[in-house]
Amino acid sequence: MAAFPSFPWLARRESGAWCRTGLARDPSLQAAVDDLARQLAGAGPADLALVFASASYASDLPRLLPLLRQKLQARHWVGCLGGGVVGTEAGGTPHELEHEPALSLTLLRLPGAELHPFCLDTADLPDLDGPAEPWRTAVGAGVEGINAMLLLVDPGCGAVNDLIGGLDYAFPGVAKVGGIAGQHSAPHGSLLFGDQVRGGAVGCLIGGAWRLQPMVAQGCRPIGPVLEVEQAQRNVVLQVSEGDQRRSPVEALQAILGGLNPAEREQVKHSLFLGVARSDFSLERSGEQPPAFLVRNLIGVDPRNGAVAVGERMRVGQKVQFQLRDADASREESRQLLRQAARRPVEPLAALLFACLGRGRGLYGHPDGDVSLCREAFDQLPIAGVFCNGEIGPVGGTTHLHGYTASWGFLVPEG
């Protein structure tokens, strides 16, 4: 039987909280479940079980939760299928497993927590222009005492932004972390809830003595000055300004290119994005905190007038800044944010990672890129999660659907 990992701070907790993790890689679902049961043998009843499975198990997914529940005990079960799996072996080593069979299980004992799992039919969401109460009724809980929300969305959901906006409206100030689950061709959903496979959205409200501390690493670095949008139509930016000078976005970019080195100019061809600031975002740096830009795709250029189309609805007066994404920028941003998180006075019990399919080996050129960075700041922290088709997390105080990001949630005691 594999030994449990040794997490020194668990022994110091007066609350009796614990985290137990397992990671299995057998191509057979039954064998993978048996392996997890061996790794987690002796674990007492948990309050919450988080299950993340690779797409290799898609056809067998309806069997997964019943098999696990026969061998392990937890009050609530939530999880999803992903394009890859993040998990921590029973020996304590975290891994990002891409393009291979993998099954990650995290058992959490959270004394004093108020946990409310929920499942939503996203085909019949409440009206965004109506009151907040129908959204709370759909979730089945009020906002009182709620500190955080884990949110997992099926890839078949066609109203993800409406869902996120409605939940932000109904549960203001509640940190929301999660992502869009992996796609597959089997005739069922990608979400795990209770003992079933579901579509729509599932999640868990976390309150009482526990919360999720969110952190979103977008992996970009700015190039050129901060610009202001002077003319825009829907998601197309027609004109920007810097001081008294007005020009098209393409003209502004051409001026920036002159100050870049050859390697950076090459990156512009395939790794250029636009950082978009909302009116409630602060562009001033606070200590080491970077400006709160929401990084969005550039999806088209009109050569006739130099306009650019952006993956976000744009408004006149918004601040924008061109951004480059590469491995070095991603490492530096993640290290900075993780160091800030490590300086907080309360140590996390566990970390959840929802990473874009475009990260991992494709970004860093080697495995375990994001979990290795996390272990630099938290040297024994158990980590679990999934590679997503879109990541959910807050930027500038509002929850957004992201791409190419690492959206983290650190499980910490409240207060």
Side-chain angles (χ1 to χ4, degrees):
M1 181 180 69
F4 287 142
S6 174
F7 303 127
W9 61 85
L10 297 190
R12 300 201 301 268
R13 292 188 183 277
E14 297 178 1
S15 64
W18 51 257
C19 172
R20 300 288 186 265
T21 61
L23 182 63
R25 310 189 195 193
D26 199 289
S28 162
L29 180 67
Q30 180 69 65
V33 169
D34 291 343
D35 188 9
L36 287 179
R38 285 191 294 270
Q39 294 180 46
L40 295 167
D47 294 312
L48 180 62
L50 300 176
V51 186
F52 301 108
S54 71
S56 303
Y57 303 118
S59 60
D60 277 342
L61 201 60
R63 300 174 53 222
L64 176 55
L65 289 177
L67 287 172
L68 286 171
R69 288 164 64 100
Q70 288 174 9
K71 298 177 178 293
L72 297 162
Q73 298 181 60
R75 189 156 52 104
H76 304 299
W77 294 78
V78 178
C80 70
L81 194 81
V85 164
V86 179
T88 303
E89 297 173 337
T93 303
H95 292 290
E96 299 170 18
L97 302 180
E98 307 170 68
H99 314 299
E100 64 177 286
L103 187 58
S104 168
L105 177 60
T106 300
L107 299 178
L108 295 162
R109 176 67 174 160
L110 304 171
E114 296 178 8
L115 302 176
H116 182 86
F118 62 88
C119 183
L120 293 175
D121 179 3
T122 55
D124 188 26
L125 293 174
D127 189 349
L128 282 171
D129 295 324
E133 194 56 37
W135 286 90
R136 296 173 188 148
T137 300
V139 171
V143 71
E144 188 68 28
I146 301 301
N147 305 319
M149 178 187 294
L150 172 65
L151 179 62
L152 305 172
V153 184
D154 190 84
C157 173
V160 179
N161 286 317
D162 288 349
L163 171 68
I164 293 171
L167 293 174
D168 252 9
Y169 174 45
F171 297 91
V174 172
K176 301 165 188 72
V177 176
I180 299 178
Q183 294 179 318
H184 58 84
S185 58
H188 52 68
S190 296
L191 307 177
L192 301 167
F193 186 78
D195 62 356
Q196 298 180 339
V197 175
R198 307 294 292 265
V202 303
C204 186
L205 296 173
I206 301 172
W210 294 86
R211 62 187 169 91
L212 286 174
Q213 181 70 49
M215 189 196 92
V216 176
Q218 299 185 86
C220 282
R221 58 185 175 88
I223 57 171
V226 175
L227 306 169
E228 183 170 332
V229 176
E230 296 291 343
Q231 293 182 30
Q233 296 178 0
R234 296 183 180 273
N235 70 320
V236 178
V237 179
L238 298 163
Q239 189 179 68
V240 295
S241 65
E242 180 188 0
D244 295 331
Q245 186 176 18
R246 297 190 179 197
R247 49 192 168 183
S248 73
V250 170
E251 289 172 332
L253 178 60
Q254 288 171 339
I256 295 169
L257 290 175
L260 302 181
N261 61 44
E264 290 171 327
R265 287 196 291 271
E266 184 64 26
Q267 285 181 340
V268 167
K269 297 178 182 178
H270 54 79
S271 299
L272 183 67
F273 297 81
L274 191 69
V276 181
R278 302 287 181 126
S279 59
D280 57 343
F281 284 8
S282 170
L283 296 182
E284 298 297 325
R285 292 181 182 267
S286 175
E288 296 182 10
Q289 184 67 32
F293 279 104
L294 181 64
V295 176
R296 285 301 188 231
N297 286 330
L298 288 172
I299 57 180
V301 174
D302 188 338
R304 298 170 300 177
N305 57 12
V308 297
V310 186
E312 180 82 3
R313 191 177 183 90
M314 303 299 297
R315 299 191 307 272
V316 171
Q318 281 183 307
K319 305 294 185 181
V320 297
Q321 190 174 28
F322 287 104
Q323 309 268 333
L324 284 181
R325 174 174 280 125
D326 59 27
D328 289 339
S330 182
R331 287 190 194 94
E332 180 57 31
E333 182 197 26
S334 291
R335 281 195 176 107
Q336 178 177 308
L337 293 172
L338 288 162
R339 285 169 185 161
Q340 290 178 32
R343 286 198 294 267
R344 296 187 181 111
V346 180
E347 293 172 301
L349 178 66
L352 302 180
L353 169 60
F354 301 93
C356 177
L357 290 166
R359 293 177 74 90
R361 290 177 184 264
L363 176 64
Y364 293 110
H366 59 80
D368 302 335
D370 282 310
V371 298
S372 296
L373 291 168
C374 184
R375 278 301 181 90
E376 291 179 9
F378 300 97
D379 63 355
Q380 295 188 50
L381 185 66
I383 307 168
V386 69
F387 283 88
C388 303
N389 286 298
E391 307 77 59
I392 296 168
V395 171
T398 302
T399 310
H400 296 279
L401 178 65
H402 306 274
Y404 305 100
T405 66
S407 183
W408 292 86
F410 295 93
L411 185 62
V412 296
E414 174 64 21

